Amino acid sequence: MGQDRKHGRPASEAMPADGVAGEVSVAGEAFREAMLSGNLSRESVQRWGERIVLEKLWEEALQMAREGEPKVAFRAAWALEYAWKLWPEGVVTRFGRLLEVLLASSNVSVQRIFSKMAYELLRRQAVSLADGEAEALVACCFDRLLDLATPSGVAVWQIRLLDLLAARIDWVGEQLEAIVRQLSEAPDCTPAIASCTRRYLRRRRRSGVWW
């Protein structure tokens, strides 16, 4: 994975240092147990998002989002999203790992959350992609967009990511527009997809900024 990452947080907001590589902390074990627990409320997930930042549990969260059973993976990704909102730099410096999980995951909740995070980071130019990473992400987004089993909440982020990457890879824009038109005309087009495709096609006509 490419290692060229850009970020711009003020020096006064230095990120807490990570622990020793390979070391499993008490907090890390507690995080795993919490994600495996039977009941976990929104408030609990938010608190774990805070703990990811304070106790440097980024790697544990990413690992569980990739390898955990569906409910556990979703919870870990959700907690990581809260942590990202509190301390974006924690994900910026680990974007390669987040991208690996995004590309590999079959969990639609993880796909939705990580696609949103990747889109926002790329849109803000907080991170950059190597050529191979951009190509892999484009291929993954098209595969998910064309998969009839992909939920609307995931599909809309694939459209947004592909439109963003079209500025970098010439053929993406034309291919994406054709697919979006098909989606917009489908009898079973959901309200979320209908709204997204209308905005995309309107933006294409006007050649302006749409999101």
Side-chain angles (χ1 to χ4, degrees):
M1 307 299 292
Q3 298 300 313
D4 178 24
R5 307 289 173 229
K6 299 189 295 182
H7 50 86
R9 293 186 67 83
S12 60
E13 297 185 37
M15 185 174 67
D18 284 331
V20 178
E23 195 176 82
V24 180
S25 65
V26 173
E29 290 295 340
F31 176 70
R32 290 176 184 274
E33 291 178 8
M35 297 300 103
L36 289 165
S37 67
N39 297 309
L40 198 65
S41 66
R42 177 187 294 269
E43 291 73 21
S44 296
V45 173
Q46 289 176 326
R47 286 195 294 272
W48 274 107
E50 295 172 358
R51 291 187 66 176
I52 287 173
V53 176
L54 295 173
E55 301 180 44
K56 288 84 71 179
L57 301 175
W58 303 96
E59 288 298 329
E60 286 87 344
L62 285 163
Q63 191 69 18
M64 292 201 76
R66 178 166 187 169
E67 297 184 354
E69 59 97 4
K71 182 169 67 175
V72 171
F74 162 60
R75 288 172 171 179
W78 192 13
L80 189 65
E81 183 183 18
Y82 278 116
W84 164 62
K85 291 176 180 177
L86 292 171
W87 198 276
E89 191 75 359
V91 172
V92 167
T93 57
R94 296 169 181 82
F95 185 71
R97 288 279 288 118
L98 182 139
L99 185 61
E100 288 174 3
V101 179
L102 173 58
L103 296 176
S105 181
S106 60
N107 185 307
V108 294
S109 295
V110 174
Q111 292 172 7
R112 175 179 55 79
I113 292 169
F114 280 19
S115 291
K116 175 183 178 181
M117 293 167 66
Y119 171 79
E120 291 295 343
L121 289 167
L122 288 166
R123 182 181 65 83
R124 299 170 188 172
Q125 299 184 338
V127 298
S128 60
L129 293 170
D131 289 343
E133 291 176 324
E135 292 167 2
L137 183 55
V138 163
C140 181
C141 288
F142 272 126
D143 285 346
R144 287 173 181 163
L145 190 57
L146 292 169
D147 186 346
L148 296 178
T150 298
S152 299
V154 176
V156 295
W157 290 108
Q158 309 317 296
I159 294 172
R160 292 182 177 190
L161 279 166
L162 286 166
D163 187 59
L164 196 64
L165 292 167
R168 178 168 179 170
I169 302 176
D170 292 341
W171 60 269
V172 170
E174 183 176 350
Q175 185 73 17
L176 177 60
E177 183 173 357
I179 293 172
V180 166
R181 289 190 183 280
Q182 291 178 358
L183 291 172
S184 69
E185 296 167 1
D188 59 349
C189 182
T190 66
I193 292 295
S195 175
C196 179
T197 56
R198 279 198 303 270
R199 294 175 70 185
Y200 171 82
L201 293 171
R202 184 167 61 246
R203 198 277 303 167
R204 289 285 286 183
R205 288 194 296 271
R206 297 176 179 175
S207 298
V209 177
W210 63 309
W211 297 116

